[in-house]
Amino acid sequence: MNYRKISLAALFLLTSQQVVFAQVTKTDSVKTKDEKVIEGVQLRGNANKKSESAILVEQKKAIIQKQSMGKEEISRKGISNVEQGLTKVTGINTVDGRGIFVRGLEERYNTLLINNLGSPSNNPFQKIIALKQFPTDVVGKLNIYKTFNANLYADFAGATFDIETLTYEKPFSKVEFSVGVNSVSSFRNFRISENANTMKGYIGLNSEDRKLPSEVRGYIPENYQFTKDESIHSFKDSWNVDVVKSLPNTSIGFTTAQKFRVNDTSSLGLLFSINQGSSYEYRNGKKNQFVYNGNSIILNNNLNKTQYNYEIESSALLGLGFKSQKTEINLNAIFLQNADNMIQDFSGYRNNQNQAPEFFRVNQLDISRFTDVQLFASHKINERNQIRGGASWVNNHFSQPDRKIFNGTPVNANNETEISYGGNNFIRQYLDVNGKNYFSGYAEYVLNLGEKSGKEYPYTFTVGYNGFFDKRSNSYRFIFGRNNTNAAGIMVDIDRIQDTLNQSIQNNEIYFQESAWNFEYRSFMYQLVNAGYLTFNYKPNQNWDILLGMRAESNTNLTRYKNSDSLPNSPFINLERNQTFILPSLSVKKTLNNSSNIRFSASKTITRPILIEYMPITYINPDNENIIGNKDLKNSENYNLDLKYEVFPTSKELFAVNLFAKKIDNAIERSFVASGNSNGQTITFYNAKHAILAGIELEGIFALKRIHENLEKFSLGANATLMYSEVKRSAAQSGETDAEANRKRTLQGAAPFTINADIKYETKNRNNFSRTASLVYNVTGEKIYGVGFSKLDNIYEKPFHQLDFVYSNQINKNWNYKFSVQNILNDTYKLDLGENSLVTVDSNSLIMTDFKRGTTYSLTVGYSF
C-alpha cells in the first residue's frame, strides 16, 4: 500500500486571538500506478505576539513569574504612558507621582531595564525614570518580573520592569493628537514663571536663562559679591510671575515603523517616534508641620499651599533593525526630556510664629534630559547554540537652576505684600546632578543539550555577564540677597517684583552674594557593578520545569565629598564600599494539567538606595522640611519566597493565588527627625536591622458569560494584594517614638493591601473593528510615609481611591479615537500625623498635607496609514 502523508500546522491568531494547531494524517487503501507522494505541506500564519491572549499563553509557559502587557491591552485601557500601564498589573500602584509601588513596597525596591539593558534614573529623588515620560507609542511590550532569576540585575525586591521597544513586525505610520481638561486645573487663573510660557519654555530651553551666573560658574564658592550691574544683568531669569488662563492639556505624537525586505530570508526595519505634550496642574490644600516643644506637640507650620505646575514632556526614539533567519541586530537612540515649571505659594504661619501671617513663594524649574543609545543583537548558531549581547551609553542630567525663594507679609487681597531685605528673605538655589557617562552591557551564551521533545530541549545551560558603571557629579550652591541699609516695609505686587528689586539694587539697598566658603557644595558618586551568572534549566518531562541560577555580583561604591568645615584646599573625603554578593535562585514549575500550574521560587537579592537617600547634601526647603542624605546607608539584602497556583480556564481567562514572603536585612526607611537647629523637621534615611513581610496576591480575569449568556461581551479583571510587615529596628533608630513606647510597627512604605480591578465591554462593528469600554479602579491601603521621632507618631499616607473610564473605538483601518475620564471620584490625597504620639497634640487637626487633583476628561484621535 502507498501512503500519502499530509502534515498541516496552521496558526490562527486573528480576531478570536486564539492559537489553534491542526495536524491531519490520511492513509490511502488504494494504490495507483501514477500516484505521487506528497511528503509535506505547511501552512503558516503570523501570530500577534502582543495580544492579550498570546501574552497569557506566554505567562502560562514561563518558568519565572512574569506578567506582561502588550500593545493590545495598552490601547484598550487608554494607557498613554508606561506608568499608567504598570498600575493595571497585580499588586502595582503609584501615588502622588512618587514612582511605582510593587506589593506595597516603595520605588527604591524596583529596577528598570530597557531592552534588557540597565537604565539609570534621570531624577535624584526617584529610583527609576519617571515612567510617565515614556510614551506607549514606542512600547511593544511591558514585562514585569516579580521573582528573581540570575540573569536579572540583583537590585530586586519589588519587581524588575523591562520595556521592550516596538519591533518591526508590521509596517505602519500613525499620527495621534490628544486634548484634555481638568475640573480643578483648566481654564483658571494660573501662575507661571515669566519665561516658561514661551516657545523656549515649550521646548525646555528656558533652563539656559536660569544657569548659575558666569561670575561664579566653574569657580569654588568664595563669598563673591555681585556688583550693581551684575546683580541686575547677570541673572537672566526674572522674579516676576505671569498670570495666565490655563489651557487644556495637549499632546501630539507621530510614530512610523517600516520594514524593507533585503532578500527572501532577511529584512531591515526602521522605527521613528516623536512625542510632545504639555499639561497644567493646580493643587490647593494644607501643608502643616508638627514639632515637640518639650511639653506637647504643636503646629510649627500652619500653612495653606497653592501649587501651579506647567509641565512639558518631550520624547524621541529612532530604531534601526536587521533580521534574518538566525541573526537580529538592533540600534536604538532614545531621548526623554521633562521640564516642570512650578510655582508654590505658601500663606499662614511657620516657625511657631503666629503673631502675623506670612507669605512666601518658591519659583522652581525641574529639568531632566536623558539620552540612551543602545546596540543589542542575538545570533542562533544552530539549534543548540545561541549567543546574544548588548551595550548602552546614557547621558543623564537633572537640575533645579535658579530656584528662587522670597517671603514677606501679606497686606491685602490684591497681591500686595510687604517685604524687607534682611535675613534670608531672597534666596537663589542651584542644584545640578550630572551623569554624563553611564555604561551598561550584557553578554550571554545559551547551550541546549539532550534529545528534543516537541520544541524544547531537556537541558539548557546559560552563562552570561551584565553590569553597569555610573558616575554622578553633584553641585548645590546658594546666592542670597544681602541687606545694605536695613530697608524694610517695601510694598510689592508678588507677581511683579523684579522692577522693585532692580530699583533697590540701584539704591544700594540690596545686592546678591554667593554663600561664603561653601566648600561642601561639590560631591562625586561612582558605582561599578560587574556580575557573572550561570543558570541551568532542566525539563525532565512535559510536567516539570526547574530553573537553577547562581549570580556573583561585585559592587564598588565610592562617594567623594567635603564636610562643612572643609577648607578650599582640603582633600575630598573618600567613602568607599566594596561588596561581593553570591546570589542563588531557584524556580520550579509543575504543570498539573493543560490549564493549571503550581510554581515555587526562592532567591537572594539586594536593594540599593535612591540617590537622594545617600547623597551628602542638605536639601533646603523654605517650609523647614529639609532632606539630609545619609552617606552611610548600606545596601539591603533580601531573601525572597513565592508559591503560586494558577489556572487558565480559557485562552482569555486566568485565576491565580500567590503566597510570598521576604526578609529584608538593612531595610531602608524614610524618617522625620527634629532639625538640628530645633526649627522644623528633617527627612533623613536609616537602615533598619531587618524587616519581615508576608502576603497573598489574588488575580482573576473572567468572561462574564459564565454568569449569563447575555454578558458574553463583558469581562472582569481584578487583583488584590494583602500584606503583613514588621520591622526590627537598628541602633540608629533607637530614638524612634515607637521604640520609646516599645511598640511594633510595619515597614515604612509597605501598604497592607492593594486592589486593582477593571470591567471591560467589547463589541465589533459590521467591518469587524473593535469598540471597547473599560472601567478601571485601584486603591492602596494606609501606609507609613515617614517614621516618627521625638515623641511624634509616624506620618501616614491615607488610602487614595481612583476610578477611570476609557472608551476606545476603531472606526476603520485608518481612524480611531479614545475618550477617557480619569480620577472620577476625585478623592483627597492626605498625609496625616498618627494618633499615637507620646504627648498631647495641641491641635484640632492631624492633617499635614491634603489636596485634590480633579477629574480629567480627555479625547485622543489617531490616524494610521
Side-chain angles (χ1 to χ4, degrees):
M1 294 177 107
N2 282 342
Y3 295 87
R4 181 170 57 185
K5 191 182 342 181
I6 301 176
S7 178
L8 299 176
L11 179 62
F12 300 101
L13 188 53
L14 303 172
T15 56
S16 65
Q17 303 171 350
Q18 296 184 21
V19 180
V20 180
F21 292 93
Q23 180 170 317
V24 179
T25 302
K26 285 192 177 183
T27 303
D28 287 344
S29 58
V30 179
K31 176 182 176 181
T32 64
K33 186 176 182 179
D34 298 327
E35 183 178 16
K36 295 181 180 180
V37 178
I38 301 176
E39 292 296 333
V41 177
Q42 291 185 337
L43 303 180
R44 295 179 179 174
N46 291 323
N48 179 5
K49 297 179 181 179
K50 306 297 189 293
S51 70
E52 292 182 73
S53 54
I55 286 173
L56 273 182
V57 171
E58 180 184 349
Q59 179 177 332
K60 176 182 175 182
K61 291 182 177 180
I63 175 63
I64 303 174
Q65 288 192 31
K66 170 185 170 184
Q67 291 175 272
S68 300
M69 181 176 291
K71 289 291 293 181
E72 180 182 285
E73 186 175 0
I74 288 171
S75 176
R76 172 177 73 79
K77 293 183 177 177
I79 297 165
S80 60
N81 61 65
V82 170
E83 182 177 275
Q84 286 181 5
L86 290 173
T87 59
K88 314 308 177 188
V89 176
T90 305
I92 297 181
N93 274 84
T94 181
V95 179
D96 193 35
R98 296 207 324 278
I100 301 296
F101 290 63
V102 179
R103 290 176 172 174
L105 295 175
E106 287 198 315
E107 189 193 49
R108 75 170 66 90
Y109 295 99
N110 302 326
T111 298
L112 174 68
L113 304 176
I114 303 176
N115 294 313
N116 204 43
L117 287 160
S119 174
S121 173
N122 59 350
N123 187 326
F125 299 91
Q126 294 184 297
K127 181 68 172 286
I128 60 179
I129 293 173
L131 293 176
K132 65 185 181 66
Q133 297 180 32
F134 221 108
T136 51
D137 282 346
V138 300
V139 175
K141 188 167 65 171
L142 298 178
N143 297 311
I144 302 96
Y145 298 91
K146 291 187 183 177
T147 59
F148 178 71
N149 185 41
N151 67 337
L152 297 173
Y153 282 108
D155 195 347
F156 183 108
T160 291
F161 309 124
D162 185 17
I163 301 174
E164 293 183 23
T165 50
L166 203 62
T167 55
Y168 318 101
E169 296 175 356
K170 183 179 179 181
F172 75 94
S173 295
K174 180 181 180 182
V175 178
E176 195 168 71
F177 176 76
S178 178
V179 60
V181 296
N182 181 274
S183 61
V184 170
S185 302
S186 300
F187 308 115
R188 68 175 304 122
N189 289 336
F190 195 92
R191 285 182 165 85
I192 190 170
S193 180
E194 191 175 51
N195 64 353
N197 197 27
T198 64
M199 181 53 67
K200 285 181 67 175
Y202 188 69
I203 58 179
L205 294 181
N206 58 324
S207 60
E208 295 298 309
D209 295 334
R210 303 178 71 136
K211 291 195 302 186
L212 197 67
S214 58
E215 289 84 357
V216 295
R217 191 189 317 147
Y219 298 95
I220 294 174
E222 291 182 340
N223 209 28
Y224 184 86
Q225 181 175 324
F226 291 81
T227 66
K228 285 184 183 181
D229 186 68
E230 290 170 344
S231 292
I232 294 174
H233 299 293
S234 294
F235 301 93
K236 305 300 182 183
D237 193 69
S238 170
W239 290 78
N240 290 346
V241 167
D242 288 336
V243 180
V244 301
K245 285 292 183 183
S246 52
L247 299 175
N249 303 331
T250 58
S251 67
I252 188 168
F254 170 74
T255 302
T256 184
Q258 302 298 325
K259 191 173 183 179
F260 310 96
R261 183 172 296 278
V262 176
N263 53 45
D264 290 341
T265 60
S266 59
S267 62
L268 291 173
L270 168 68
L271 172 64
F272 175 71
S273 179
I274 187 167
N275 294 267
Q276 182 82 6
S278 63
S279 63
Y280 296 81
E281 184 174 18
Y282 171 87
R283 295 180 178 181
N284 181 267
K286 296 184 184 300
K287 187 65 173 73
N288 297 331
Q289 185 182 87
F290 296 89
V291 296
Y292 175 55
N293 69 355
N295 298 306
S296 62
I297 293 170
I298 61 171
L299 268 174
N300 188 57
N301 289 354
N302 187 2
L303 294 169
N304 186 80
K305 177 182 174 182
T306 303
Q307 181 169 311
Y308 309 84
N309 289 80
Y310 173 58
E311 191 170 12
I312 304 105
E313 305 275 2
S314 308
S315 67
L317 184 146
L318 176 63
L320 301 172
F322 170 79
K323 184 176 182 180
S324 66
Q325 284 184 327
K326 293 186 176 182
T327 304
E328 288 190 37
I329 303 173
N330 291 277
L331 175 65
N332 281 348
I334 302 168
F335 174 75
L336 303 174
Q337 178 178 279
N338 175 267
D340 187 2
N341 299 271
M342 180 191 304
I343 303 294
Q344 294 177 328
D345 286 346
F346 298 82
S347 59
Y349 305 95
R350 62 174 174 170
N351 304 330
N352 194 27
Q353 302 294 321
N354 55 10
Q355 291 82 10
E358 189 177 6
F359 170 85
F360 56 99
R361 168 174 287 175
V362 180
N363 183 334
Q364 176 177 321
L365 169 65
D366 289 3
I367 180 80
S368 65
R369 296 186 177 96
F370 175 92
T371 304
D372 188 355
V373 180
Q374 302 181 326
L375 176 65
F376 51 98
S378 64
H379 177 67
K380 189 175 183 180
I381 301 171
N382 52 44
E383 284 292 325
R384 295 183 179 271
N385 298 271
Q386 185 176 355
I387 57 174
R388 64 179 188 140
S392 69
W393 168 78
V394 176
N395 186 313
N396 195 17
H397 178 246
F398 173 89
S399 68
Q400 287 179 350
D402 200 3
R403 184 184 188 225
K404 292 181 283 291
I405 303 167
F406 82 90
N407 71 288
T409 302
V411 175
N412 54 46
N414 296 322
N415 292 335
E416 286 190 314
T417 294
E418 181 181 305
I419 63 171
S420 63
Y421 297 139
N424 293 326
N425 291 344
F426 286 85
I427 304 175
R428 313 180 92 125
Q429 299 179 12
Y430 298 83
L431 173 65
D432 285 281
V433 181
N434 282 301
K436 292 184 178 179
N437 290 297
Y438 175 98
F439 298 96
S440 171
Y442 72 92
E444 190 173 88
Y445 169 68
V446 180
L447 172 65
N448 294 301
L449 296 175
E451 292 298 322
K452 197 172 185 180
S453 174
K455 294 184 178 181
E456 297 177 328
Y457 290 91
Y459 309 101
T460 300
F461 291 90
T462 302
V463 60
Y465 160 87
N466 57 22
F468 68 87
F469 171 75
D470 189 11
K471 175 188 175 183
R472 305 288 179 110
S473 59
N474 314 309
S475 173
Y476 191 37
R477 303 176 74 153
F478 297 83
I479 296 176
F480 296 91
R482 298 303 189 193
N483 184 13
N484 244 342
T485 61
N486 294 319
I490 301 168
M491 303 296 297
V492 296
D493 180 336
I494 59 173
D495 297 327
R496 316 307 300 172
I497 196 173
Q498 187 66 54
D499 287 344
T500 302
L501 275 178
N502 290 347
Q503 188 60 53
S504 296
I505 292 169
Q506 293 288 2
N507 295 340
N508 289 319
E509 296 172 341
I510 186 175
Y511 61 92
F512 285 102
Q513 184 175 27
E514 189 172 19
S515 58
W517 313 107
N518 176 28
F519 303 123
E520 78 275 17
Y521 81 100
R522 191 84 166 151
S523 63
F524 300 88
M525 307 176 81
Y526 304 84
Q527 192 167 201
L528 174 64
V529 171
N530 288 295
Y533 58 88
L534 176 68
T535 67
F536 171 55
N537 194 185
Y538 175 48
K539 304 181 182 70
N541 53 50
Q542 293 182 348
N543 296 327
W544 285 96
D545 198 346
I546 302 168
L547 180 63
L548 287 168
M550 182 62 70
R551 180 183 182 88
E553 183 163 303
S554 171
N555 180 87
T556 299
N557 192 295
L558 173 63
T559 302
R560 305 187 68 221
Y561 67 100
K562 292 186 178 183
N563 288 324
S564 58
D565 56 354
S566 297
L567 297 176
N569 296 321
S570 297
F572 280 93
I573 301 168
N574 292 332
L575 177 60
E576 185 173 358
R577 290 183 290 270
N578 296 311
Q579 294 175 288
T580 299
F581 299 97
I582 304 300
L583 307 169
S585 61
L586 169 67
S587 296
V588 180
K589 185 185 77 170
K590 173 68 167 67
T591 301
L592 302 178
N593 51 50
N594 289 334
S595 62
S596 62
N597 301 315
I598 189 167
R599 302 171 180 272
F600 172 78
S601 66
S603 64
K604 180 182 178 183
T605 59
I606 65 173
T607 295
R608 299 185 179 92
I610 301 171
L611 197 63
I612 193 64
E613 295 179 343
Y614 72 105
M615 187 186 294
I617 67 170
T618 299
Y619 181 80
I620 304 297
N621 284 309
D623 61 355
N624 294 320
E625 188 177 275
N626 303 325
I627 303 173
I628 297 180
N630 180 358
K631 63 184 182 303
D632 297 315
L633 272 185
K634 300 176 183 178
N635 293 334
S636 302
E637 298 185 40
N638 318 310
Y639 301 85
N640 314 288
L641 292 173
D642 283 80
L643 179 63
K644 184 176 185 179
Y645 171 72
E646 57 188 12
V647 181
F648 300 83
T650 68
S651 64
K652 294 184 179 182
E653 293 182 303
L654 163 69
F655 175 74
V657 179
N658 186 34
L659 303 176
F660 65 90
K662 296 178 184 291
K663 181 186 178 187
I664 304 177
D665 289 338
N666 300 317
I668 300 166
E669 297 190 294
R670 180 190 300 109
S671 299
F672 280 74
V673 301
S675 294
N677 59 7
S678 300
N679 189 11
Q681 287 186 313
T682 292
I683 298 174
T684 192
F685 307 89
Y686 295 110
N687 288 113
K689 187 172 183 180
H690 68 249
I692 301 295
L693 300 89
I696 182 172
E697 287 180 317
L698 303 171
E699 180 181 11
I701 304 173
F702 303 102
L704 295 187
K705 66 180 180 181
R706 290 178 174 273
I707 300 173
H708 196 280
E709 60 182 12
N710 291 339
L711 300 176
E712 64 176 348
K713 295 177 181 178
F714 289 88
S715 64
L716 173 67
N719 59 73
T721 303
L722 304 175
M723 185 171 68
Y724 166 84
S725 67
E726 184 178 327
V727 167
K728 186 170 184 179
R729 303 170 184 87
S730 64
Q733 296 175 302
S734 59
E736 278 185 25
T737 300
D738 282 331
E740 186 176 346
N742 195 27
R743 295 193 298 238
K744 294 181 179 181
R745 66 166 175 82
T746 59
L747 176 67
Q748 183 270 312
F753 67 86
T754 298
I755 299 173
N756 297 325
D758 73 274
I759 185 167
K760 177 185 76 169
Y761 172 82
E762 182 174 14
T763 186
K764 298 181 184 298
N765 62 23
R766 57 187 176 185
N767 295 319
N768 208 35
F769 292 108
S770 294
R771 290 176 291 181
T772 62
S774 299
L775 198 62
V776 184
Y777 169 80
N778 61 66
V779 65
T780 185
E782 180 180 279
K783 53 187 173 287
I784 297 176
Y785 175 80
V787 177
F789 279 67
S790 302
K791 301 191 184 300
L792 277 74
D793 196 5
N794 306 312
I795 296 168
Y796 291 91
E797 190 169 39
K798 295 296 185 178
F800 182 85
H801 301 264
Q802 179 153 335
L803 181 66
D804 302 333
F805 171 78
V806 181
Y807 176 77
S808 177
N809 187 3
Q810 183 72 42
I811 301 172
N812 53 44
K813 67 178 182 179
N814 300 116
W815 289 97
N816 71 86
Y817 71 88
K818 288 180 286 189
F819 173 73
S820 67
V821 185
Q822 294 180 314
N823 197 25
I824 295 171
L825 302 176
N826 195 18
D827 201 8
T828 300
Y829 175 80
K830 291 179 65 176
L831 294 178
D832 284 0
L833 178 68
E835 298 178 352
N836 296 310
S837 297
L838 298 187
V839 295
T840 302
V841 179
D842 189 12
S843 172
N844 58 7
S845 172
L846 297 176
I847 296 175
M848 290 190 61
T849 299
D850 69 349
F851 60 84
K852 288 181 178 290
R853 292 199 184 99
T855 302
T856 300
Y857 306 84
S858 62
L859 176 67
T860 302
V861 178
Y863 179 76
S864 301
F865 55 95

